[in-house]
Each structure stands twice: as structure tokens, then as C-alpha cells.
Amino acid sequence: MNPTILRAALVLGLLSAIGPFAIDMYLPALPAIGADLGADTAGVQMSLMAFMAAIAVCQLFYGPISDMVGRKPPLYFGMALFAIGAVGCAFAPSIEWLVAARFLQGVGACAAMALPRAIVRDGYTGADAAQLQSLLMLVFSVSPILAPLAGSLIVEFGGWRDIFWAIAGIGVLGLLLVGFSLKETRPRHLRLDSSVGSALRGYGLLLRDWNFIGLSMIGAFGMSSFMAYLANSSFVLIEHYGLNPTLYSVMFSINAVSFIGVSQLTGVLTRRYGLNAIVRTAVTGYVVTMLALVVIYLAGFNQLPVLATLLFVGYGFLGLVIPTTAVLALDGHGEIAGTASALMGTLQLVTAAVVMGVVGSFFDGTAQPMVIGIAACAAIAFVLTRLTLRIDPQPVAAE
């Protein structure tokens, strides 16, 4: 294994995990937050959606700015704002305050979530990029595996506000990581042609590239299916199936292990079969698994072991979809990698926020709306894959 790739994966994976850690860590506390602040399920979920919406919108700015000034200055700004937002959450006297502070925190977290993809593209393409993306996800897995467990322990021995003090500390650690462990990958001579005008032209180019849009949306609906689970799982598993916060965290972590573990095969499989074949096969396996779950639930088998088993299998397939579609989408746009990464992230997170809102509006205390939402996202990803990857991708030539 190339030590340079390993080091890059460690640093970028930890940075990428900071934002999701701020999501996953407070999931076990969602029911407690609602009870303490007198908010209903929709109101508490709004704090999650505000965080996601901020990340989605702000990527459109972080990407082009990083093309113009380099990757590190936006990361410094983002990590500082992330820590400030976490402190605001810790002091929240109402659900409205919490939602606003989470939005601010999301503006900061966006930098660490949007720019690592561009940094990967700055130095790698093809199978090496796919391998780095999968290794990055391995480090990134510290969030969905450890964060819910850490959050449940904090809630048990302290309170939900203590979670945000811990998250503020993570933001400070992120600042130190950027300062001492990350090299600038966008040298000054590459920034000379980057400007607001070039960013707008870049967005226009990308929006006309149907291959880029299609691949981004395959990843978007794959990610949305996981976000639908993320937003509803604590209420379903804790309130419907009766798990305590610690057992909930264990089940959440098991699905993350499947997602991350299978993703580590990306580099090997890509070198043998190619990126397009991996995406087509993985999306097909994912949609078959999720549709089977819907059929079983509609038939009346509302059982936790069935849900846990099929989600474990399905998210294993999804672990192959997310890194490969990202590599394919960015492969032809190295000159505007920051802008391309930003637009891809925005499309994915806006889609996820809409899906979360729709699924949440049908929440009835059971797992059925969540399961149907996950399967619908998988089906849309399958259709997009059939339309997008019928032929080898041909990026739009720059004018």
C-alpha cells in the first residue's frame, strides 16, 4: 500500500468525519432533546435538516473559493465556525435556537465535508482515486461506528448539552489537523485562472454535462436512502422497537460496518472490472435488497431482525456505490475539481434533505414509512444508473 495514499486517507478521512460526527453523535439524544425543549418529532428533526441544508448550500461557495485561494484557508474558517456553532447548540434554550445554531454549525462543517473530494482529485485519478476514496471512507467510519456510542454514553452519564461541548472540542481538533497535518494541494499557479466568472462558467459546464449530473444523482439517491434511515432510526428503534440508546447505537454501528467494510473492496474490484461495472452491479444488488425489505414489511412481517439483516446487506452494496460514482463524476473535471465537488455535494445533500423531509412527514411511529422511503431512493438510483451508464462516460469539453 502506498504510504502517501495511506497518510492522505487518514488526514482527509478524519476531516470528512467531523461533520457526520456532529450528526451521528446526537442521534441517540433526539428523543431527549424533544422532551427537554418541548418539541415534537418534526421539530427535533428540523435541527438535523438545518444542518444538512447549510452544508448543501454552502458547498456552492466553498468549492469555487477553494479553487481561487487554495484548499486550506476555507478549512480554517469552516472549522472555527463549526466549533462556535457547537457552543451555541450547547446553550440552546429552545428548539428554534437549536435549529439556528445547527445551521451555523453546518455552514462550518461544510468546508471539511466538501473539500476532501477536491483534494483527492488534485492528486489522484482512476483506480488510485477510487482506492483513496475507499480508504478515506474507512477512516470516515469512525463517525457512524463510534459517534452514536459516544453520544449514548454522554446522554446516560451527563445530558444532551454535553454532546455539543464534546463536538466543539472536535472542531478545535479539526483546526489543529488542518494546520499541522494537511498540505496545500492547490498551488498558486493553478489559481491564476480561477475567479467568480470562471466559477460561474464551471457551474454552467457541469450543469450541461449529463454524465456528471447523472452520476451525482445516483450518489444523491444512494446517500438519501441512508439519510432517511439516519433521520428516523432513533425514533423507530428506540420508541417503536424499544431499544435503549446504547443498543440503538450498536445496531446503527453494525450497518456502518457493512457500508464501510465492503467499500474497501473498491480499489481491487475497480482494477479488475472497471468503475462502470462496479456501479451497475452494486446498484442492482442494493435495489433488489431494499425492494425485498418493502415486500416483507407490506406483508406484515414487522420484525427487527428482518430489518437489521436486510439493511446490513443493502448498505454493503451501497458502500460500493458512493465512492465509485464520486470518482467517475470528478474524473473529467480536474481543472475545476473544487467547483465540481461542490456542485456534486450540493445536489446530493439537497436531495437528501428533501427525502428526509418527505419521509419524516409520513412518520407514524412504525418502520414502514422509513423502509418505503429507502426502497424508493434505491429504485430511483437504479433507473438513473441504467440511463447514465449505458455507454462509457464522455465529459463535456470546456469551451
Side-chain angles (χ1 to χ4, degrees):
M1 183 69 68
N2 188 325
T4 302
I5 291 181
L6 284 174
R7 183 181 183 277
L10 179 62
V11 174
L12 295 176
L14 290 174
L15 281 174
S16 298
I18 288 174
F21 210 89
I23 298 173
D24 301 334
M25 195 172 184
Y26 96 131
L27 291 179
L30 290 181
I33 291 172
D36 188 38
L37 299 181
D40 59 13
T41 299
V44 177
Q45 288 181 333
M46 187 60 66
S47 67
L48 177 60
M49 292 177 62
F51 188 88
M52 301 294 297
I55 293 173
V57 173
C58 291
Q59 288 194 56
L60 293 174
F61 300 94
Y62 277 118
I65 289 172
S66 76
D67 286 340
M68 288 184 272
V69 305
R71 309 302 186 201
K72 291 186 71 171
L75 285 169
Y76 283 126
F77 172 80
M79 288 296 90
L81 194 62
F82 175 84
I84 293 171
V87 173
C89 292
F91 283 113
S94 65
I95 191 63
E96 291 79 13
W97 178 300
L98 181 65
V99 169
R102 287 289 283 174
F103 183 86
L104 182 67
Q105 191 183 31
V107 173
C110 178
M113 295 183 69
L115 298 185
R117 284 192 302 262
I119 294 172
V120 169
R121 182 56 185 84
D122 287 340
Y124 303 91
T125 58
D128 284 342
Q131 183 180 40
L132 179 52
Q133 286 280 12
S134 61
L135 285 170
L136 189 152
M137 290 179 64
L138 179 62
V139 181
F140 177 90
S141 68
V142 69
S143 172
I145 293 174
L146 296 182
L149 290 170
S152 65
L153 290 175
I154 291 174
V155 170
E156 184 174 350
F157 294 104
W160 66 265
R161 296 179 190 276
D162 294 327
I163 291 177
F164 289 105
W165 286 113
I167 290 173
I170 292 171
V172 174
L173 291 176
L175 271 173
L176 297 175
L177 192 64
V178 173
F180 295 104
S181 300
L182 186 67
K183 294 182 179 180
E184 179 59 67
T185 59
R186 181 78 172 176
R188 191 174 299 276
H189 70 274
L190 292 179
R191 308 174 202 165
L192 297 178
D193 295 330
S194 298
S195 63
V196 174
S198 67
L200 293 175
R201 289 192 295 273
Y203 280 133
L205 170 68
L206 293 166
L207 289 171
R208 296 194 305 274
D209 184 347
W210 292 111
N211 184 72
F212 172 85
I213 297 297
L215 288 164
S216 296
M217 295 307 294
I218 294 168
F221 281 100
M223 181 183 296
S224 296
S225 67
F226 187 79
M227 290 301 177
Y229 172 69
L230 185 150
N232 293 275
S233 59
S234 62
F235 298 101
V236 170
L237 298 180
I238 294 174
E239 297 182 351
H240 178 60
Y241 287 112
L243 301 184
N244 62 37
T246 301
L247 288 176
Y248 160 73
S249 301
V250 170
M251 181 171 171
F252 190 90
S253 300
I254 289 172
N255 287 325
V257 167
S258 173
F259 182 91
I260 301 301
V262 176
S263 74
Q264 298 314 297
L265 301 174
T266 302
V268 174
L269 293 174
T270 296
R271 288 184 174 89
R272 184 165 184 176
Y273 300 107
L275 287 166
N276 284 14
I278 299 304
V279 174
R280 286 193 292 261
T281 302
V283 170
T284 300
Y286 186 52
V287 71
V288 169
T289 306
M290 294 300 99
L291 289 177
L293 180 59
V294 168
V295 171
I296 290 171
Y297 261 71
L298 293 179
F301 294 96
N302 183 6
Q303 301 295 322
L304 181 58
V306 174
L307 177 68
T309 300
L310 290 180
L311 285 178
F312 181 85
V313 174
Y315 286 143
F317 284 114
L318 188 60
L320 292 174
V321 175
I322 302 300
T324 49
T325 52
V327 171
L328 278 170
L330 296 179
D331 198 44
H333 299 290
E335 300 81 2
I336 53 171
T339 301
S341 176
L343 182 58
M344 180 170 62
T346 295
L347 290 172
Q348 292 178 348
L349 288 173
V350 167
T351 303
V354 172
V355 168
M356 287 162 56
V358 171
V359 175
S361 68
F362 286 97
F363 182 74
D364 60 1
T366 72
Q368 188 165 300
M370 179 184 75
V371 167
I372 292 174
I374 292 172
C377 289
I380 295 172
F382 175 78
V383 172
L384 288 171
T385 300
R386 299 291 294 178
L387 294 174
T388 304
L389 297 183
R390 288 179 297 178
I391 57 174
D392 290 326
Q394 297 293 331
V396 174
E399 294 179 356

